[in-house]
Every structure is written in C-alpha cells, then in structure tokens.
Amino acid sequence: MRAIERGLTDCPVCQAIVKVPMAGTDDVAYCSRCDSEVHIRKPDAIQKTWAYLLASIVFFIPANVLPMMHVATFAGTESDTIMSGVLYFIDTGAYLIAFVIFTASIFVPILKILILIYLLISVQKSSCQHRKRRKKLYVLTEVIGRWSMVDVYVVGTMVALVHFGALTEIKPGMGANFFLLVVIMTMLSAMSFDPKLIWDNTKECNARQ
C-alpha cells in the first residue's frame, strides 16, 4: 500500500510524516513538529507550474533580444545582448567565458523549460513511461536552476568593478532585467511542480502490465 492511500505525506519544511484527511483534494493538515500547512499534494500544482512556465517563455524573448549591458567608453557606447556577448568572447579567444555564459544564459534556461513542459504533459496524460527517469529530470531542473543566475551575477560584478569615471562605465540593460525574471519564473515553476504526481497513477500502470 502506498503512502497516499493511507493519507500520509511528508512535511515540506521539516520532512516529518503527517497524516492528511483524504475527504477532498484541498484538505490540509498541520505538521505536529513545525506547525506548517501540509497537503497530500501541492494545491493547483499543474496550473501554477504552467502559469510560471509560460511567463518565463514570454520573458525569455526580450531577455535575448534586448541588451544585457551598455559599455560607455571615450570611443562611444556599445550595447551587447547575451548572444553578441558570447560571440565577442569567442572572437577575443575567451572560450571558457563564452562557454559559461552560453551554458548559463541560453542552454540551461531552454533545457529547464523543455524538461518542465515534458513533465507537465506526461503527468496530464497520466503517462506510465519512464517515471524514474522523469523524477531524475525534475531533480536535474532543481540542480541546474541554481546556475542560471551566473549571467546576472557577471553583469552585476562588472557594473560594480568597472567604473572609471569618464573613461569607462558599464550599465545593465533591460535584457538583464528580463533575464532575471526568466530565472525567477523558472525557479517558481520548478518549485510549484509536485514530482509526486508522477507516481499517482501507479495502480493503473501496474494493472496495464
């Protein structure tokens, strides 16, 4: 017998095992250890995950089209998007920096968005395929999501360090703001998704075998 069939789940804060009433999906219990609210499943997990995910996709477009930063020198002002910054570092031979920025700013957000879309669709279709692999993919989104802030950190560090009065000045562009929103929305999307939903159709899947 599975824990959900007994109305048991873990507290999201202290991981204590809590018994939740099973009369309805919105029922709530309170952890006896930390008094946090505990639901048998995260309320409206799929709807919230889709909402944050779609917002991140919308913000991803201006984040890559608008300049991430403006560099003002005595020779003029130059603006760079994420991709033009990557190409600049490739042209100057800074391949490692180009690789880090491309991975953190383009590859990781796209990978995270695609994984969450796959998880949402597979849960909504009650798929029995690759459930262990899907759980690993969800863990992967949590791990790689922590590195999505690298690009914002690079811009913030450069703005703080490179400031030589009238000679050189670096200012963050609107692209940095939208990229920060992409990172926040994807993090909220991953946090809203309930990986336990992957296993909710275990009985039906076992019956098909």
Side-chain angles (χ1 to χ4, degrees):
M1 180 174 286
R2 300 168 58 230
I4 189 173
E5 294 167 0
R6 291 178 175 269
L8 298 174
T9 189
D10 59 327
C11 172
V13 178
C14 68
Q15 280 73 52
I17 301 300
V18 180
K19 186 170 180 58
V20 181
M22 292 293 290
T25 55
D26 295 330
D27 286 323
V28 61
Y30 292 90
C31 177
S32 58
R33 181 188 293 170
C34 65
D35 203 34
S36 301
E37 276 193 8
V38 181
H39 299 267
I40 199 74
R41 292 291 181 266
K42 292 180 182 177
D44 304 319
I46 292 178
Q47 293 87 341
K48 289 179 182 176
T49 306
W50 269 120
Y52 289 128
L53 191 59
L54 291 175
S56 71
I57 294 172
V58 171
F59 291 139
F60 188 75
I61 297 171
N64 282 274
V65 174
L66 297 176
M68 282 289 283
M69 61 182 181
H70 306 284
V71 181
T73 65
F74 62 89
T77 301
E78 186 175 341
S79 300
D80 279 306
T81 62
I82 294 175
M83 202 60 214
S84 67
V86 171
L87 294 176
Y88 169 79
F89 284 118
I90 291 175
D91 290 339
T92 56
Y95 299 112
L96 180 60
I97 298 176
F99 173 77
V100 170
I101 293 179
F102 177 81
T103 302
S105 305
I106 297 177
F107 179 73
V108 168
I110 291 177
L111 178 65
K112 195 172 179 181
I113 288 171
L114 291 177
I115 289 176
L116 287 169
I117 290 175
Y118 169 63
L119 292 175
L120 284 166
I121 292 177
S122 62
V123 165
Q124 288 185 291
K125 287 190 171 183
S126 299
S127 172
C128 298
Q129 302 294 320
H130 312 302
R131 286 181 293 175
K132 290 183 180 178
R133 190 179 300 172
R134 281 187 276 151
K135 177 63 189 302
K136 291 178 180 176
L137 285 174
Y138 175 73
V139 174
L140 179 65
T141 62
E142 290 191 318
V143 173
I144 63 176
R146 300 167 189 168
W147 297 95
S148 301
M149 293 291 286
V150 169
D151 209 32
V152 178
Y153 176 75
V154 169
V155 174
T157 303
M158 292 182 73
V159 170
L161 296 179
V162 183
H163 187 79
F164 301 121
L167 293 178
T168 304
E169 186 177 14
I170 296 180
K171 293 182 178 178
M174 283 299 293
N177 298 330
F178 280 105
F179 187 79
L180 182 61
L181 289 173
V182 171
V183 174
I184 293 173
M185 290 298 116
T186 52
M187 289 175 68
L188 290 173
S189 181
M191 291 169 62
S192 299
F193 183 78
D194 192 340
K196 295 173 186 171
L197 294 172
I198 297 172
W199 306 97
D200 273 358
N201 59 344
T202 298
K203 190 177 289 184
E204 292 80 2
C205 293
N206 291 338
R208 294 177 194 173
Q209 294 176 351

